[in-house]
Amino acid sequence: MPYLEDFNNALAQMNVSLDNEKVLKLEAFYNMLIATNLHTNLTSITEKSEVFVKHFADSLSILRQASLLALDKNIRVVDVGAGAGFPSVPLKIALPALKIVAVDSTNKKVNFINSCVEKLNLKDIVAVHERAEILSRGEYRDSFDLGVSRAVARLNVLSELILPLIKPQGYFVAYKAVSADEELKETKEALKKLSAKYICTDSFEIGSIGTRSNIIIKKLAPTDKKYPRQGGKIKGSPLC
């Protein structure tokens, strides 16, 4: 099947592999995505091979840094701006021990993720309908080992939204494309204000997507209570 060949080639480029049971769960997830997308706009990418490479394989690219991020353990992960479940659902399928909270401000996408979680019988993953800057003012603050976000906003905005949710000594990974270096430069001072530091950029080629870059940031200490600011301020006047 061409889509599986493209998917497996993309995984091989990243030195990642999945067993057949997990691939079948991804296929079931794909079928739910396409069926729901007929009446609810979840993704503009619908061709099977493209979904498997551009959504699923890309979501799994942080497995390249599995040791650094302790992905082999039952760590707590927050996916901010989870959309239709990328990267949270593929990550949960690939690594069942992860405990994941997927956060999105669009209720239809949250409902879709929770429906898929139930149908796929996935445990310790839930989607929450909330804005990240509000979520981090409550019980979730400083509580996750890892934060991830894929194609949501520029790095200086994402950092203020996500780092308050991460434990000291935890990590934040931003899935990025060619703008990674530029975004990192404009975020350098913001990271100091947020008690975090840049660790590395993991760049790689993946299938038809081309070059991708995952920016890895480590949180060093609890975030100052004045962060995050209100959503309008974060986006209108990003930290720099």
Side-chain angles (χ1 to χ4, degrees):
M1 289 176 279
Y3 78 92
L4 277 182
E5 183 177 347
D6 291 343
F7 179 58
N8 287 327
N9 286 340
L11 293 183
Q13 281 183 289
M14 302 184 298
N15 296 317
V16 173
S17 62
L18 292 183
D19 63 38
N20 188 57
E21 182 181 354
K22 292 173 181 177
V23 173
L24 289 175
K25 279 200 172 185
L26 284 175
E27 184 154 8
F29 178 44
Y30 167 80
N31 291 334
M32 294 176 204
L33 175 70
I34 297 307
T36 304
N37 206 59
L38 291 174
H39 54 78
T40 303
N41 183 25
L42 297 172
T43 177
S44 60
I45 299 172
T46 57
E47 198 275 323
K48 197 167 190 177
S49 181
E50 287 197 343
V51 171
F52 266 75
V53 173
K54 294 182 178 179
H55 282 327
F56 295 171
D58 186 45
S59 292
L60 298 175
S61 62
I62 65 169
L63 272 64
R64 288 168 48 86
Q65 297 293 331
S67 178
L68 173 65
L69 302 174
L71 293 176
D72 59 332
K73 300 177 182 177
N74 59 342
I75 62 171
R76 297 191 72 213
V77 181
V78 60
D79 175 11
V80 172
F86 313 122
S88 50
V89 176
L91 283 175
K92 181 62 184 179
I93 290 171
L95 300 167
L98 297 180
K99 298 177 180 178
I100 300 178
V101 176
V103 183
D104 203 274
S105 59
T106 304
N107 202 39
K108 64 182 181 181
K109 294 178 179 178
V110 168
N111 290 338
F112 170 72
I113 295 173
N114 283 328
S115 175
C116 290
V117 165
E118 181 178 358
K119 292 175 181 176
L120 292 169
N121 196 30
L122 302 177
K123 307 299 183 185
D124 290 324
I125 174 172
V126 64
V128 176
H129 179 221
E130 190 56 274
R131 302 188 69 85
E133 66 269 26
I134 296 175
L135 199 71
S136 64
R137 295 173 190 154
E139 62 178 304
Y140 287 114
R141 189 178 183 89
D142 294 321
S143 69
F144 292 95
D145 301 285
L146 173 65
V148 294
S149 191
R150 181 174 174 268
V152 174
R154 293 187 73 81
L155 186 62
N156 53 0
V157 171
L158 283 175
S159 295
E160 186 172 356
L161 289 172
I162 296 176
L163 283 168
L165 293 164
I166 308 303
K167 293 178 181 177
Q169 306 306 309
Y171 292 89
F172 160 41
V173 180
Y175 289 67
K176 291 291 180 181
V178 293
S179 61
D181 290 342
E182 177 188 343
E183 291 189 36
L184 188 58
K185 288 178 183 178
E186 68 186 20
T187 308
K188 185 177 180 181
E189 293 302 316
L191 293 180
K192 293 179 182 179
K193 295 175 183 178
L194 296 166
S195 302
K197 71 174 182 178
Y198 165 73
I199 297 298
C200 65
T201 299
D202 182 22
S203 295
F204 50 92
E205 297 293 317
I206 174 172
S208 58
I209 301 177
T211 303
R212 296 288 291 168
S213 297
N214 292 338
I215 300 176
I216 301 176
I217 291 166
K218 186 174 184 177
K219 182 167 173 176
L220 304 176
T223 309
D224 191 308
K225 291 183 179 180
K226 65 184 177 183
Y227 303 117
R229 298 166 295 163
Q230 293 182 349
K233 291 183 178 179
I234 296 173
K235 294 179 181 178
S237 181
L239 292 175
C240 60

